[in-house]
Amino acid sequence: MSEQSPSPAANSRPRSSELFARAKQHIPGGVNSPVRAFKGVGGDPVFFQSASGSRLRDVDGNSYIDYVGSWGPMILGHAHPQVLAAVSEAAQNGCSFGAPTEREVRFAELLCRRVPSMDKVRMVSSGTEATMSALRVARGFTGRAKIVKSDGAYHGHADSLLVAAGSGAATLGLPGTAGVTEGATRDTLTVPWNDFAAIDRVFAEHRTASGHSEIAAVIIEPVCGNMGCVPPLPGYLEHLRSLTEQNGTVFIFDEVMTGFRLARGGAQQRFAIRPDLTCLGKIVGGGLPAAAYGGRADIMDKIAPVGPVYQAGTLSGNPLAVAAGHTMLELLDDSSIYDRLELVSTHLCSELRRLCHAQNIPAVINQVGSMFTLFFTDQPVRSYDDAKRSDTGRFARFFHGMLARGVYLPPSQFEAAFLSAAHSDEDIEKTLDAAREVLGTL
Ligand SMILES: *Cc1c(COP(=O)(O)O)cnc(C)c1O
């Protein structure tokens, strides 16, 4: 593999730009998911041809050290030989049956062993479906309507979760996008992340005449990753756990991003909190479209065909996706992978912090395990409002400088970057060399 020289001029991308122009003719915005269009940083997106380990290769032949990892799934690096072998073997036996298979049983057994709070689990095809279905079963189980989410948290694109971030105190949900009715979001309440008083207020305000809570579920990202990486303050998860427990409210961990990333058993293992339901995606599909939701047996048994809550899927438990996810999770049984991810990520982040400091560039780097974000701000980032104070223009210049030097970061200030087990010490040093140069130009 011929490496590109680390000069910005060496990394030109005419074929990507050509494809992007063509894509826009027949695909809205030229992309199949909005953030791919580089709106947050400007310029044309990179079109990729192949990937292996920590490296991506674009259609112009440039090579990049990848810190996006397909937005999370590629924790073992790209094109892991055992995952590939499992998928092609499964494909030989047929791509889909729409009927039960042995492997999905073994996969469910593994998930329930691995995720501390999971008694039963149902497979779906995307994180969006997982959160949407978890909320439905929470409402079916409690017989209540209202749900609470955090400002700036992303739980997929189901209507009831696309709610504008309310500022300050909790607000009644208003749709944050065209095409969603007020009816769909009327029962969605939002609170600022890490604000203990705000969640207390919401629970105090939403009670029936007889004093019962009206809140069916609180759904959170246990470490926020979709406003950039914003961890919970000490005691915050515990506070939410006891509040929901006192009120008979279902506590949902959306671990689509953190599941199998922050520890073998996800964020709930790392923080030792037991949610009632957990949503999984990204890593659980091993790079193929699979996701899952599960948790307490008494709640999960409300789902059809045992219970009255309907939820279904033509491709749910798809044999290729199950083969990929199952193989990846078996490989992730080795906790030394997590130890190294932690060590290398901590090294990378503390060096980046040092480089910013040396150049007098205001920066806050939030890191939990192998997920992190460099925010260009001088204030601690504990909420979406804090994150929004970042200098996004500076982030865009940093992003493009890194890209030109062969480092692919998430193309937005408000997304977490990921390290994989395939990143070598040499990758990290090259990344830091590039960062040193780029920060010097900001
Ligand atoms: C990615 C993500 C989702 C949505 O998953 P999709 O597979 O894109 O639908 C939901 N919740 C969180 C926390 C995510 O990071």
Side-chain angles (χ1 to χ4, degrees), residues 126-128 131 154-156 221 226 254 256-257 282:
S126 68
T128 294
T131 56
Y154 179 68
H155 301 291
E221 297 178 63
N226 291 288
D254 177 355
V256 170
M257 186 182 287
K282 301 195 168 113

Side-chain angles (χ1 to χ4, degrees), residues 112-303:
C112 291
R113 269 199 313 275
R114 189 73 60 88
V115 181
S117 66
M118 204 169 265
D119 302 330
K120 289 196 173 180
V121 61
R122 173 65 66 84
M123 298 291 304
V124 291
S125 300
S126 68
T128 294
E129 273 182 273
T131 56
M132 180 182 81
S133 309
L135 288 175
R136 187 182 301 145
V137 71
R139 284 167 161 158
F141 178 75
T142 56
R144 305 175 187 173
K146 296 193 190 307
I147 57 163
V148 181
K149 76 175 279 284
S150 313
D151 292 346
Y154 179 68
H155 301 291
H157 63 92
D159 282 3
S160 69
L161 287 161
L162 288 176
V163 175
S167 63
T171 49
L172 275 183
L174 289 176
T177 167
V180 172
T181 62
E182 279 176 37
T185 58
R186 194 180 45 221
D187 291 319
T188 306
L189 308 162
T190 67
V191 290
W193 175 241
N194 276 330
D195 187 333
F196 290 68
I199 188 84
D200 288 350
R201 217 153 41 229
V202 164
F203 270 92
E205 282 167 6
H206 295 278
R207 307 202 155 272
T208 61
S210 54
H212 292 295
S213 178
E214 294 176 324
I215 300 172
V218 171
I219 183 167
I220 58 154
E221 297 178 63
V223 171
C224 291
N226 291 288
M227 53 175 99
C229 176
V230 185
L233 288 176
Y236 187 60
L237 297 179
E238 289 79 358
H239 185 69
L240 297 179
R241 176 65 283 187
S242 64
L243 202 56
T244 46
E245 195 163 327
Q246 285 157 24
N247 286 281
T249 296
V250 178
F251 192 23
I252 305 174
F253 266 26
D254 177 355
E255 293 225 45
V256 170
M257 186 182 287
T258 58
F260 316 113
R261 163 127 337 244
L262 296 188
R264 239 175 115 265
Q268 58 195 272
Q269 179 186 10
R270 189 177 179 111
F271 294 103
I273 302 282
R274 204 180 172 85
D276 301 306
L277 292 179
T278 300
C279 302
L280 299 169
K282 301 195 168 113
I283 292 174
V284 87
L288 269 74
Y293 67 105
R296 270 167 52 185
D298 57 337
I299 301 177
M300 291 303 287
D301 280 339
K302 294 290 177 202
I303 300 167

Side-chain angles (χ1 to χ4, degrees), residues 283-340:
I283 292 174
V284 87
L288 269 74
Y293 67 105
R296 270 167 52 185
D298 57 337
I299 301 177
M300 291 303 287
D301 280 339
K302 294 290 177 202
I303 300 167
V306 238
V309 177
Y310 190 71
Q311 184 272 312
T314 302
L315 294 178
S316 293
N318 171 265
L320 272 59
V322 167
H326 192 211
T327 305
M328 191 172 279
L329 289 196
E330 281 176 337
L331 292 163
L332 289 171
D333 196 30
D334 177 359
S335 60
S336 73
I337 292 177
Y338 292 97
D339 296 341
R340 181 170 181 280

